[in-house]
Every structure is written in structure tokens, then in C-alpha cells.
Coordinates of all heavy atoms in Angstrom, one line a residue:
N1 N -69.3 -170.6 -32.8 CA -69.6 -169.8 -34.0 C -68.7 -168.6 -34.0 O -68.6 -167.8 -33.1 CB -71.1 -169.4 -33.9 CG -71.6 -168.9 -35.2 OD1 -70.8 -168.5 -36.1 ND2 -72.9 -168.8 -35.4
N2 N -68.1 -168.4 -35.2 CA -67.2 -167.3 -35.4 C -67.8 -166.2 -36.2 O -67.1 -165.4 -36.8 CB -65.9 -167.8 -36.0 CG -65.0 -168.6 -35.1 OD1 -65.0 -168.3 -33.9 ND2 -64.4 -169.6 -35.6
R3 N -69.1 -166.2 -36.3 CA -69.7 -165.2 -37.2 C -70.3 -164.0 -36.3 O -70.8 -164.3 -35.2 CB -70.8 -165.8 -38.0 CG -70.2 -166.7 -39.0 CD -71.1 -167.5 -39.9 NE -72.5 -167.3 -39.9 CZ -73.3 -167.6 -40.9 NH1 -72.9 -168.2 -42.0 NH2 -74.6 -167.3 -40.8
V4 N -70.2 -162.8 -36.9 CA -70.7 -161.6 -36.2 C -71.5 -160.8 -37.2 O -71.4 -161.0 -38.4 CB -69.6 -160.7 -35.6 CG1 -68.8 -161.5 -34.5 CG2 -68.6 -160.2 -36.7
V5 N -72.4 -160.0 -36.6 CA -73.2 -159.1 -37.4 C -72.6 -157.7 -37.2 O -72.5 -157.2 -36.0 CB -74.7 -159.1 -37.0 CG1 -75.5 -158.1 -37.7 CG2 -75.3 -160.5 -37.1
V6 N -72.2 -157.1 -38.3 CA -71.7 -155.7 -38.2 C -72.7 -154.8 -38.9 O -73.1 -155.0 -40.0 CB -70.3 -155.6 -39.0 CG1 -69.8 -154.2 -39.0 CG2 -69.3 -156.6 -38.3
T7 N -73.0 -153.7 -38.2 CA -73.9 -152.7 -38.7 C -73.2 -151.4 -38.8 O -72.4 -151.0 -37.9 CB -75.2 -152.5 -37.9 OG1 -74.8 -152.2 -36.6 CG2 -76.0 -153.8 -37.9
V8 N -73.5 -150.6 -39.8 CA -72.9 -149.3 -40.0 C -74.0 -148.3 -40.3 O -74.8 -148.6 -41.2 CB -71.9 -149.3 -41.2 CG1 -71.3 -147.9 -41.3 CG2 -70.8 -150.4 -41.0
V9 N -74.1 -147.2 -39.6 CA -75.2 -146.3 -39.8 C -74.6 -144.9 -39.7 O -73.8 -144.6 -38.8 CB -76.3 -146.4 -38.7 CG1 -77.4 -145.3 -38.9 CG2 -76.9 -147.8 -38.7
G10 N -75.0 -144.0 -40.7 CA -74.5 -142.6 -40.6 C -75.0 -141.9 -41.9 O -75.7 -142.4 -42.7
K11 N -74.6 -140.6 -42.0 CA -74.9 -139.8 -43.1 C -74.2 -140.4 -44.3 O -73.0 -140.7 -44.2 CB -74.6 -138.4 -42.9 CG -75.8 -137.6 -42.4 CD -75.5 -136.1 -42.6 CE -76.7 -135.6 -43.3 NZ -77.0 -134.3 -43.2
D12 N -74.8 -140.4 -45.4 CA -74.2 -141.0 -46.7 C -73.1 -140.1 -47.1 O -73.2 -138.9 -47.2 CB -75.3 -141.1 -47.7 CG -74.8 -141.9 -49.0 OD1 -73.9 -142.7 -48.8 OD2 -75.3 -141.6 -50.1
K13 N -72.0 -140.7 -47.5 CA -70.9 -140.0 -48.1 C -70.0 -141.1 -48.8 O -70.1 -142.3 -48.6 CB -70.1 -139.2 -47.1 CG -69.4 -140.0 -46.0 CD -68.7 -139.1 -45.1 CE -68.2 -139.8 -43.9 NZ -67.5 -138.9 -42.9
K14 N -69.1 -140.6 -49.7 CA -68.3 -141.6 -50.4 C -67.3 -142.3 -49.5 O -66.8 -141.7 -48.6 CB -67.5 -140.8 -51.5 CG -68.4 -140.2 -52.5 CD -67.6 -139.4 -53.5 CE -68.5 -138.7 -54.5 NZ -67.8 -137.7 -55.3
G15 N -67.1 -143.5 -49.8 CA -66.0 -144.3 -49.2 C -66.3 -145.1 -47.9 O -65.5 -145.7 -47.4
I16 N -67.6 -145.1 -47.5 CA -68.0 -145.8 -46.3 C -67.7 -147.3 -46.5 O -67.0 -147.9 -45.7 CB -69.4 -145.5 -45.9 CG1 -69.6 -144.1 -45.5 CG2 -69.8 -146.4 -44.7 CD1 -71.1 -143.7 -45.3
I17 N -68.3 -147.9 -47.5 CA -68.1 -149.3 -47.8 C -66.6 -149.7 -47.9 O -66.1 -150.6 -47.4 CB -68.9 -149.8 -49.0 CG1 -70.4 -149.7 -48.7 CG2 -68.6 -151.3 -49.3 CD1 -71.3 -150.1 -49.8
A18 N -65.9 -148.9 -48.7 CA -64.5 -149.1 -48.9 C -63.7 -149.1 -47.6 O -62.9 -150.0 -47.4 CB -63.9 -148.1 -49.9
T19 N -64.0 -148.2 -46.8 CA -63.3 -148.0 -45.5 C -63.5 -149.2 -44.6 O -62.6 -149.8 -44.0 CB -63.6 -146.7 -44.8 OG1 -63.3 -145.6 -45.6 CG2 -62.9 -146.6 -43.5
V20 N -64.8 -149.6 -44.4 CA -65.2 -150.7 -43.5 C -64.7 -152.0 -44.1 O -64.2 -152.8 -43.3 CB -66.7 -150.6 -43.3 CG1 -67.1 -151.8 -42.4 CG2 -67.1 -149.3 -42.6
S21 N -64.9 -152.3 -45.4 CA -64.5 -153.5 -45.9 C -63.0 -153.7 -45.9 O -62.5 -154.8 -45.7 CB -65.1 -153.8 -47.3 OG -64.6 -152.8 -48.2
S22 N -62.3 -152.6 -46.1 CA -60.8 -152.6 -46.1 C -60.3 -152.9 -44.6 O -59.4 -153.7 -44.4 CB -60.2 -151.3 -46.5 OG -60.4 -151.1 -47.9
A23 N -61.0 -152.3 -43.7 CA -60.6 -152.5 -42.3 C -60.8 -154.0 -41.9 O -60.0 -154.6 -41.2 CB -61.4 -151.6 -41.4
L24 N -61.9 -154.6 -42.3 CA -62.2 -156.0 -42.1 C -61.2 -156.9 -42.8 O -60.6 -157.8 -42.2 CB -63.6 -156.3 -42.5 CG -64.7 -155.8 -41.6 CD1 -66.1 -155.9 -42.2 CD2 -64.7 -156.4 -40.2
A25 N -60.9 -156.6 -44.0 CA -59.9 -157.4 -44.8 C -58.5 -157.3 -44.1 O -57.8 -158.4 -44.0 CB -59.8 -156.9 -46.2
E26 N -58.1 -156.2 -43.7 CA -56.8 -156.0 -43.0 C -56.7 -156.9 -41.7 O -55.6 -157.2 -41.3 CB -56.6 -154.5 -42.7 CG -56.3 -153.7 -43.9 CD -56.3 -152.2 -43.5 OE1 -56.5 -151.8 -42.3 OE2 -56.2 -151.4 -44.5
R27 N -57.9 -157.1 -41.2 CA -57.9 -157.9 -39.9 C -58.3 -159.4 -40.2 O -58.6 -160.1 -39.3 CB -58.9 -157.3 -38.9 CG -58.3 -156.0 -38.4 CD -59.4 -155.0 -37.9 NE -58.9 -153.8 -37.4 CZ -58.5 -152.8 -38.2 NH1 -58.7 -152.8 -39.5 NH2 -58.0 -151.7 -37.6
Q28 N -58.2 -159.8 -41.5 CA -58.4 -161.2 -41.9 C -59.9 -161.6 -41.6 O -60.1 -162.8 -41.5 CB -57.5 -162.1 -41.2 CG -56.1 -161.7 -41.1 CD -55.2 -162.2 -42.3 OE1 -55.4 -163.3 -42.7 NE2 -54.4 -161.3 -42.8
A29 N -60.8 -160.7 -41.6 CA -62.2 -161.0 -41.4 C -62.9 -161.1 -42.8 O -62.6 -160.3 -43.7 CB -62.9 -159.9 -40.6
N30 N -63.7 -162.1 -43.0 CA -64.3 -162.4 -44.3 C -65.8 -162.0 -44.3 O -66.6 -162.5 -43.5 CB -64.2 -163.9 -44.6 CG -64.7 -164.2 -46.0 OD1 -64.6 -163.4 -46.9 ND2 -65.1 -165.4 -46.1
I31 N -66.1 -161.1 -45.2 CA -67.5 -160.7 -45.3 C -68.3 -161.7 -46.1 O -68.0 -162.0 -47.2 CB -67.7 -159.3 -46.0 CG1 -66.9 -158.2 -45.2 CG2 -69.1 -159.0 -46.3 CD1 -66.8 -156.9 -46.0
L32 N -69.2 -162.4 -45.4 CA -70.0 -163.5 -46.0 C -71.2 -162.9 -46.8 O -71.7 -163.5 -47.8 CB -70.5 -164.5 -45.0 CG -69.3 -165.1 -44.2 CD1 -69.9 -166.0 -43.1 CD2 -68.5 -166.0 -45.1
D33 N -71.8 -161.9 -46.2 CA -73.0 -161.3 -46.8 C -73.1 -159.8 -46.5 O -72.7 -159.5 -45.4 CB -74.3 -162.0 -46.3 CG -75.5 -161.9 -47.2 OD1 -75.4 -161.1 -48.2 OD2 -76.5 -162.5 -46.9
I34 N -73.7 -159.0 -47.3 CA -73.7 -157.6 -47.1 C -75.0 -157.0 -47.7 O -75.4 -157.5 -48.8 CB -72.5 -156.9 -47.6 CG1 -72.5 -155.4 -47.3 CG2 -72.3 -157.1 -49.1 CD1 -71.2 -154.6 -47.6
S35 N -75.6 -156.1 -47.0 CA -76.8 -155.4 -47.5 C -76.6 -154.0 -47.1 O -76.3 -153.6 -46.0 CB -78.1 -156.0 -46.8 OG -79.2 -155.2 -47.2
Q36 N -76.9 -153.1 -48.1 CA -76.8 -151.7 -47.9 C -78.0 -151.0 -48.3 O -78.7 -151.4 -49.3 CB -75.6 -151.1 -48.6 CG -75.7 -151.1 -50.1 CD -74.9 -149.9 -50.7 OE1 -73.9 -149.5 -50.2 NE2 -75.4 -149.5 -51.9
T37 N -78.4 -149.9 -47.6 CA -79.6 -149.2 -48.0 C -79.3 -147.7 -47.7 O -78.6 -147.4 -46.7 CB -80.8 -149.6 -47.1 OG1 -81.0 -151.0 -47.3 CG2 -82.0 -148.9 -47.5
I38 N -79.8 -146.9 -48.5 CA -79.8 -145.4 -48.2 C -81.2 -145.0 -48.0 O -82.1 -145.2 -48.9 CB -79.2 -144.6 -49.4 CG1 -77.7 -145.1 -49.6 CG2 -79.3 -143.1 -49.1 CD1 -77.1 -144.5 -50.9
L39 N -81.5 -144.5 -46.8 CA -82.8 -144.0 -46.4 C -82.7 -142.5 -46.3 O -82.1 -142.0 -45.4 CB -83.2 -144.6 -45.1 CG -83.3 -146.1 -45.0 CD1 -83.5 -146.6 -43.6 CD2 -84.4 -146.6 -45.8
Q40 N -83.2 -141.8 -47.3 CA -83.1 -140.4 -47.5 C -81.6 -140.1 -47.5 O -80.9 -140.5 -48.3 CB -83.9 -139.6 -46.4 CG -85.4 -139.8 -46.6 CD -86.2 -139.0 -45.7 OE1 -85.8 -138.1 -45.0 NE2 -87.5 -139.4 -45.7
E41 N -81.1 -139.3 -46.5 CA -79.6 -139.0 -46.5 C -78.8 -140.0 -45.6 O -77.6 -139.8 -45.4 CB -79.4 -137.6 -46.1 CG -79.6 -137.3 -44.7 CD -81.0 -136.8 -44.3 OE1 -81.9 -136.9 -45.1 OE2 -81.2 -136.4 -43.2
F42 N -79.5 -141.0 -45.0 CA -78.8 -141.9 -44.1 C -78.4 -143.2 -44.8 O -79.2 -143.8 -45.6 CB -79.6 -142.2 -42.9 CG -79.8 -140.9 -42.0 CD1 -81.0 -140.2 -42.1 CD2 -78.8 -140.5 -41.2 CE1 -81.2 -139.0 -41.4 CE2 -79.0 -139.3 -40.5 CZ -80.2 -138.6 -40.6
F43 N -77.2 -143.7 -44.5 CA -76.7 -144.9 -45.1 C -76.6 -146.0 -44.0 O -76.2 -145.7 -42.9 CB -75.2 -144.5 -45.5 CG -74.5 -145.6 -46.2 CD1 -74.7 -145.8 -47.6 CD2 -73.7 -146.5 -45.5 CE1 -74.1 -146.9 -48.2 CE2 -73.0 -147.5 -46.2 CZ -73.2 -147.7 -47.5
T44 N -77.1 -147.2 -44.4 CA -77.0 -148.3 -43.5 C -76.4 -149.5 -44.2 O -76.7 -149.7 -45.4 CB -78.4 -148.7 -42.9 OG1 -79.2 -149.1 -44.0 CG2 -79.1 -147.6 -42.2
I45 N -75.6 -150.2 -43.4 CA -75.0 -151.5 -43.9 C -75.3 -152.5 -42.8 O -75.1 -152.2 -41.6 CB -73.5 -151.4 -44.1 CG1 -73.1 -150.3 -45.1 CG2 -73.0 -152.8 -44.7 CD1 -71.6 -150.2 -45.2
I46 N -75.6 -153.7 -43.2 CA -75.6 -154.9 -42.3 C -74.8 -156.0 -43.0 O -75.0 -156.3 -44.2 CB -77.0 -155.4 -42.1 CG1 -77.9 -154.3 -41.4 CG2 -77.0 -156.7 -41.2 CD1 -79.4 -154.7 -41.3
M47 N -73.8 -156.5 -42.3 CA -72.9 -157.5 -42.8 C -72.9 -158.7 -41.9 O -72.9 -158.6 -40.7 CB -71.5 -157.0 -42.9 CG -71.3 -155.9 -43.9 SD -69.6 -155.4 -44.0 CE -69.6 -154.0 -42.9
I48 N -72.8 -159.9 -42.5 CA -72.4 -161.1 -41.7 C -71.0 -161.3 -42.0 O -70.5 -161.4 -43.2 CB -73.3 -162.3 -42.2 CG1 -74.8 -162.0 -42.1 CG2 -72.9 -163.5 -41.3 CD1 -75.3 -161.8 -40.7
V49 N -70.2 -161.4 -40.9 CA -68.7 -161.5 -41.1 C -68.2 -162.7 -40.3 O -68.5 -163.0 -39.2 CB -68.0 -160.2 -40.5 CG1 -66.5 -160.3 -40.6 CG2 -68.6 -159.0 -41.3
D50 N -67.3 -163.5 -41.0 CA -66.7 -164.6 -40.4 C -65.3 -164.2 -39.8 O -64.5 -163.7 -40.5 CB -66.5 -165.7 -41.5 CG -65.9 -167.0 -40.9 OD1 -65.6 -167.1 -39.7 OD2 -65.7 -167.9 -41.7
L51 N -65.1 -164.5 -38.5 CA -63.9 -164.1 -37.9 C -62.9 -165.3 -37.7 O -62.0 -165.2 -36.9 CB -64.2 -163.5 -36.5 CG -65.1 -162.3 -36.5 CD1 -65.3 -161.8 -35.1 CD2 -64.5 -161.2 -37.4
T52 N -63.1 -166.4 -38.4 CA -62.3 -167.6 -38.2 C -60.8 -167.3 -38.3 O -60.0 -167.8 -37.5 CB -62.7 -168.7 -39.2 OG1 -64.1 -169.0 -39.0 CG2 -61.9 -169.9 -39.0
D53 N -60.4 -166.5 -39.2 CA -59.0 -166.2 -39.5 C -58.5 -164.9 -38.8 O -57.4 -164.5 -39.0 CB -58.7 -166.2 -41.0 CG -58.9 -167.6 -41.6 OD1 -58.7 -168.6 -40.9 OD2 -59.3 -167.6 -42.8
C54 N -59.4 -164.2 -38.2 CA -59.1 -162.9 -37.6 C -58.2 -163.1 -36.3 O -58.6 -163.9 -35.4 CB -60.4 -162.2 -37.2 SG -60.1 -160.5 -36.5
P55 N -57.0 -162.5 -36.3 CA -56.2 -162.7 -35.1 C -56.6 -162.0 -33.8 O -56.1 -162.2 -32.8 CB -54.8 -162.2 -35.6 CG -55.2 -161.2 -36.6 CD -56.4 -161.7 -37.3
L56 N -57.6 -161.1 -34.0 CA -58.0 -160.3 -32.9 C -59.2 -160.9 -32.1 O -60.0 -161.6 -32.7 CB -58.5 -158.9 -33.4 CG -57.5 -158.1 -34.2 CD1 -58.2 -156.8 -34.7 CD2 -56.3 -157.7 -33.4
D57 N -59.3 -160.7 -30.8 CA -60.4 -161.2 -30.1 C -61.6 -160.3 -30.4 O -61.4 -159.1 -31.0 CB -60.2 -161.2 -28.6 CG -59.9 -159.9 -28.0 OD1 -60.8 -159.1 -27.8 OD2 -58.7 -159.6 -27.8
F58 N -62.8 -160.7 -30.2 CA -64.0 -160.0 -30.5 C -64.0 -158.6 -30.0 O -64.4 -157.6 -30.7 CB -65.3 -160.8 -30.0 CG -66.5 -160.0 -30.2 CD1 -67.1 -159.9 -31.4 CD2 -67.1 -159.4 -29.1 CE1 -68.3 -159.1 -31.6 CE2 -68.3 -158.6 -29.3 CZ -68.9 -158.5 -30.5
V59 N -63.7 -158.4 -28.7 CA -63.8 -157.1 -28.1 C -62.8 -156.1 -28.7 O -63.1 -155.0 -29.0 CB -63.5 -157.2 -26.5 CG1 -63.4 -155.8 -25.9 CG2 -64.6 -158.0 -25.9
T60 N -61.6 -156.6 -29.0 CA -60.6 -155.7 -29.7 C -61.1 -155.3 -31.1 O -61.1 -154.1 -31.5 CB -59.3 -156.4 -29.8 OG1 -58.8 -156.7 -28.5 CG2 -58.2 -155.5 -30.5
L61 N -61.6 -156.3 -31.8 CA -62.2 -155.9 -33.2 C -63.3 -155.0 -33.1 O -63.4 -154.0 -33.8 CB -62.7 -157.2 -33.9 CG -63.3 -157.0 -35.2 CD1 -62.3 -156.5 -36.3 CD2 -64.0 -158.3 -35.7
R62 N -64.3 -155.2 -32.1 CA -65.4 -154.3 -32.0 C -64.9 -152.9 -31.6 O -65.4 -151.9 -32.2 CB -66.3 -154.8 -30.8 CG -67.5 -154.0 -30.6 CD -68.1 -154.3 -29.3 NE -67.2 -153.9 -28.2 CZ -67.3 -154.4 -27.0 NH1 -68.2 -155.2 -26.6 NH2 -66.4 -154.0 -26.1
D63 N -64.0 -152.8 -30.8 CA -63.5 -151.4 -30.4 C -62.7 -150.7 -31.5 O -62.9 -149.5 -31.7 CB -62.5 -151.6 -29.2 CG -63.3 -152.0 -27.9 OD1 -64.5 -151.9 -27.9 OD2 -62.6 -152.3 -26.9
E64 N -61.9 -151.5 -32.3 CA -61.2 -150.9 -33.4 C -62.2 -150.4 -34.5 O -62.1 -149.4 -35.1 CB -60.2 -151.9 -34.0 CG -59.0 -152.1 -33.1 CD -57.9 -153.0 -33.7 OE1 -58.1 -153.3 -34.9 OE2 -57.0 -153.3 -33.0
L65 N -63.3 -151.3 -34.8 CA -64.3 -150.8 -35.7 C -65.0 -149.6 -35.3 O -65.3 -148.7 -36.0 CB -65.3 -152.0 -36.0 CG -64.7 -153.2 -36.8 CD1 -65.8 -154.3 -36.9 CD2 -64.2 -152.8 -38.2
G66 N -65.3 -149.5 -34.0 CA -65.9 -148.3 -33.4 C -65.1 -147.1 -33.6 O -65.6 -146.0 -33.9
Q67 N -63.8 -147.2 -33.4 CA -62.9 -146.1 -33.6 C -62.8 -145.7 -35.1 O -62.8 -144.5 -35.4 CB -61.4 -146.4 -33.2 CG -61.3 -146.6 -31.7 CD -61.4 -145.2 -31.0 OE1 -61.1 -144.1 -31.6 NE2 -61.9 -145.2 -29.8
I68 N -62.8 -146.6 -36.0 CA -62.8 -146.3 -37.4 C -64.1 -145.6 -37.7 O -64.1 -144.6 -38.5 CB -62.7 -147.6 -38.2 CG1 -61.3 -148.2 -38.1 CG2 -63.0 -147.4 -39.7 CD1 -61.1 -149.6 -38.5
G69 N -65.2 -146.0 -37.2 CA -66.5 -145.4 -37.4 C -66.5 -143.9 -37.0 O -67.0 -143.0 -37.7
Q70 N -65.9 -143.7 -35.8 CA -65.8 -142.3 -35.3 C -65.0 -141.4 -36.3 O -65.3 -140.3 -36.5 CB -65.2 -142.2 -33.9 CG -66.1 -142.7 -32.9 CD -65.5 -142.7 -31.5 OE1 -64.3 -142.4 -31.3 NE2 -66.3 -142.9 -30.4
T71 N -63.9 -142.0 -36.8 CA -63.0 -141.3 -37.7 C -63.8 -140.9 -39.0 O -63.5 -139.8 -39.5 CB -61.8 -142.2 -38.1 OG1 -61.1 -142.5 -36.9 CG2 -60.9 -141.5 -39.1
I72 N -64.7 -141.8 -39.5 CA -65.3 -141.4 -40.8 C -66.8 -140.9 -40.5 O -67.5 -140.6 -41.5 CB -65.4 -142.6 -41.7 CG1 -66.1 -143.8 -41.1 CG2 -63.9 -143.0 -42.1 CD1 -66.3 -145.0 -42.1
G73 N -67.2 -140.7 -39.3 CA -68.4 -140.1 -39.0 C -69.6 -141.0 -39.1 O -70.7 -140.5 -39.4
V74 N -69.5 -142.3 -38.8 CA -70.6 -143.2 -38.8 C -70.5 -144.0 -37.4 O -69.5 -144.0 -36.7 CB -70.6 -144.2 -40.0 CG1 -70.7 -143.5 -41.3 CG2 -69.3 -145.1 -40.0
V75 N -71.6 -144.8 -37.1 CA -71.6 -145.6 -36.0 C -71.4 -147.1 -36.5 O -72.3 -147.5 -37.3 CB -72.9 -145.5 -35.1 CG1 -72.9 -146.5 -34.0 CG2 -73.0 -144.1 -34.6
I76 N -70.4 -147.8 -36.0 CA -70.2 -149.2 -36.4 C -70.4 -150.0 -35.1 O -69.7 -149.8 -34.1 CB -68.8 -149.4 -37.0 CG1 -68.6 -148.6 -38.2 CG2 -68.6 -150.9 -37.3 CD1 -67.2 -148.7 -38.8
S77 N -71.3 -151.0 -35.2 CA -71.6 -151.9 -34.1 C -71.3 -153.3 -34.6 O -71.4 -153.6 -35.7 CB -73.1 -151.8 -33.7 OG -73.5 -150.5 -33.4
C78 N -70.9 -154.1 -33.6 CA -70.5 -155.5 -33.9 C -71.1 -156.4 -32.8 O -70.8 -156.1 -31.6 CB -69.0 -155.6 -33.9 SG -68.3 -157.1 -34.5
Q79 N -71.9 -157.4 -33.2 CA -72.5 -158.3 -32.2 C -72.3 -159.7 -32.7 O -72.4 -160.0 -33.9 CB -73.9 -158.0 -32.0 CG -74.2 -156.7 -31.4 CD -75.7 -156.4 -31.3 OE1 -76.5 -157.1 -32.0 NE2 -76.1 -155.5 -30.5
H80 N -72.1 -160.7 -31.7 CA -72.1 -162.1 -32.1 C -73.4 -162.5 -32.8 O -74.5 -162.1 -32.3 CB -71.9 -163.0 -30.9 CG -70.5 -162.9 -30.4 ND1 -69.4 -163.6 -31.0 CD2 -69.9 -162.3 -29.3 CE1 -68.3 -163.4 -30.4 NE2 -68.6 -162.6 -29.3
E81 N -73.3 -163.3 -33.8 CA -74.5 -163.8 -34.5 C -75.4 -164.6 -33.5 O -76.6 -164.6 -33.6 CB -74.1 -164.6 -35.7 CG -75.3 -165.2 -36.5 CD -74.9 -166.2 -37.5 OE1 -74.0 -167.1 -37.2 OE2 -75.4 -166.0 -38.7
D82 N -74.8 -165.3 -32.6 CA -75.5 -166.1 -31.6 C -76.5 -165.3 -30.9 O -77.6 -165.9 -30.5 CB -74.5 -166.8 -30.6 CG -73.7 -167.8 -31.3 OD1 -74.0 -168.3 -32.4 OD2 -72.6 -168.2 -30.7
I83 N -76.3 -164.1 -30.6 CA -77.2 -163.3 -29.9 C -78.6 -163.2 -30.6 O -79.6 -163.4 -30.1 CB -76.7 -161.8 -29.6 CG1 -75.5 -161.9 -28.7 CG2 -77.8 -160.9 -29.2 CD1 -74.8 -160.6 -28.5
F84 N -78.5 -163.1 -31.9 CA -79.7 -163.0 -32.8 C -80.4 -164.3 -32.8 O -81.6 -164.4 -32.8 CB -79.4 -162.5 -34.2 CG -78.9 -161.1 -34.2 CD1 -77.5 -160.8 -34.2 CD2 -79.8 -160.0 -34.1 CE1 -77.1 -159.5 -34.2 CE2 -79.3 -158.7 -34.1 CZ -78.0 -158.4 -34.1
Q85 N -79.6 -165.4 -32.9 CA -80.1 -166.8 -32.9 C -80.9 -167.1 -31.6 O -82.0 -167.6 -31.7 CB -79.0 -167.8 -33.2 CG -78.3 -167.7 -34.5 CD -79.1 -167.9 -35.7 OE1 -80.2 -168.5 -35.6 NE2 -78.6 -167.4 -36.8
F86 N -80.3 -166.8 -30.5 CA -81.0 -167.0 -29.2 C -82.2 -166.2 -29.0 O -83.2 -166.6 -28.4 CB -80.0 -166.9 -28.1 CG -78.9 -167.9 -28.0 CD1 -77.6 -167.5 -28.0 CD2 -79.2 -169.2 -28.1 CE1 -76.6 -168.5 -28.0 CE2 -78.2 -170.2 -28.0 CZ -76.9 -169.9 -28.0
M87 N -82.2 -164.9 -29.5 CA -83.4 -164.1 -29.3 C -84.6 -164.7 -30.0 O -85.7 -164.5 -29.5 CB -83.1 -162.7 -29.9 CG -82.2 -161.8 -29.0 SD -81.8 -160.1 -29.6 CE -82.6 -160.0 -31.1
H88 N -84.4 -165.3 -31.1 CA -85.5 -165.9 -31.9 C -85.9 -167.2 -31.4 O -87.0 -167.7 -31.8 CB -85.1 -165.9 -33.4 CG -85.0 -164.6 -34.0 ND1 -86.0 -163.6 -34.0 CD2 -83.9 -164.0 -34.5 CE1 -85.5 -162.5 -34.6 NE2 -84.3 -162.7 -34.9
R89 N -85.2 -167.8 -30.5 CA -85.6 -169.1 -29.9 C -86.6 -168.9 -28.8 O -87.3 -169.9 -28.4 CB -84.4 -169.9 -29.3 CG -83.5 -170.4 -30.4 CD -82.4 -171.2 -29.7 NE -81.6 -171.8 -30.8 CZ -80.5 -172.4 -30.5 NH1 -80.1 -172.7 -29.3 NH2 -79.7 -172.8 -31.5
I90 N -86.7 -167.7 -28.2 CA -87.6 -167.5 -27.1 C -89.0 -167.5 -27.5 O -89.4 -167.1 -28.5 CB -87.2 -166.2 -26.4 CG1 -85.8 -166.3 -25.8 CG2 -88.2 -165.8 -25.3 CD1 -85.3 -165.0 -25.2

């Protein structure tokens, strides 16, 4: 399975979705689904992303997204979708 769950959490400000989606597009990652919510002044995004065409390995992508998050003042996490599937089988 080449799908991952990407989450973004931080204080709301302009350009968060644009920055994260552009970073994924530059790495040939395809956003399959996205949900965003603003809770008071906090911004959250959850995305399902397909990495089939992404030339980077998972760890490199995760680390690069983390660095981008630090640059724009949010926390970006990336986990394999399989982790969530297996958690619900127990």
C-alpha cells in the first residue's frame, strides 16, 4: 500500500494548505482526500496521500515535510495508512 496519512496542526495563518499541497505536488505525491478544520485559532488538516509516483522513500518524505512544517510554524506528521488499518483489526 502506497497510501499515507498526513496531518498538519498549528496556529491558523494564510498559506498553510498552499504550502503543504505544493510540497506534496513537487514530490509527485497525489492528495486523494483532504479535510481541514479550524478549532478556535488552531488549524488542522488530515490528508490521504498516494505515494505511488513519489520518487522519495517514506522516511525522506516524512523528514522533508517535517522541515517544511517547522519553516511555516506547524507540525506535519506522516504515517503509513496500514498502521491505522491494523489498529482497527485488534
Side-chain angles (χ1 to χ4, degrees):
N1 189 346
N2 289 323
R3 293 176 10 157
V4 296
V5 177
V6 176
T7 59
V8 182
V9 179
K11 264 197 129 159
D12 188 28
K13 62 181 173 182
K14 294 177 186 171
I16 296 172
I17 292 176
T19 301
V20 176
S21 61
S22 293
L24 289 167
E26 289 168 5
R27 290 157 179 83
Q28 318 266 320
N30 185 29
I31 299 170
L32 301 174
D33 201 357
I34 184 171
S35 174
Q36 69 152 29
T37 304
I38 298 173
L39 302 169
Q40 295 185 13
E41 73 270 11
F42 295 100
F43 182 84
T44 63
I45 305 173
I46 299 174
M47 293 183 265
I48 305 297
V49 179
D50 182 2
L51 301 182
T52 300
D53 297 328
C54 180
L56 304 176
D57 62 81
F58 172 78
V59 173
T60 302
L61 177 67
R62 181 195 65 198
D63 292 348
E64 288 185 7
L65 291 175
Q67 289 292 332
I68 291 166
Q70 287 181 352
T71 301
I72 63 172
V74 298
V75 175
I76 302 177
S77 302
C78 190
Q79 297 179 339
H80 285 285
E81 180 187 47
D82 291 343
I83 291 172
F84 295 97
Q85 299 295 343
F86 291 126
M87 284 181 358
H88 294 300
R89 287 186 182 174
I90 297 176

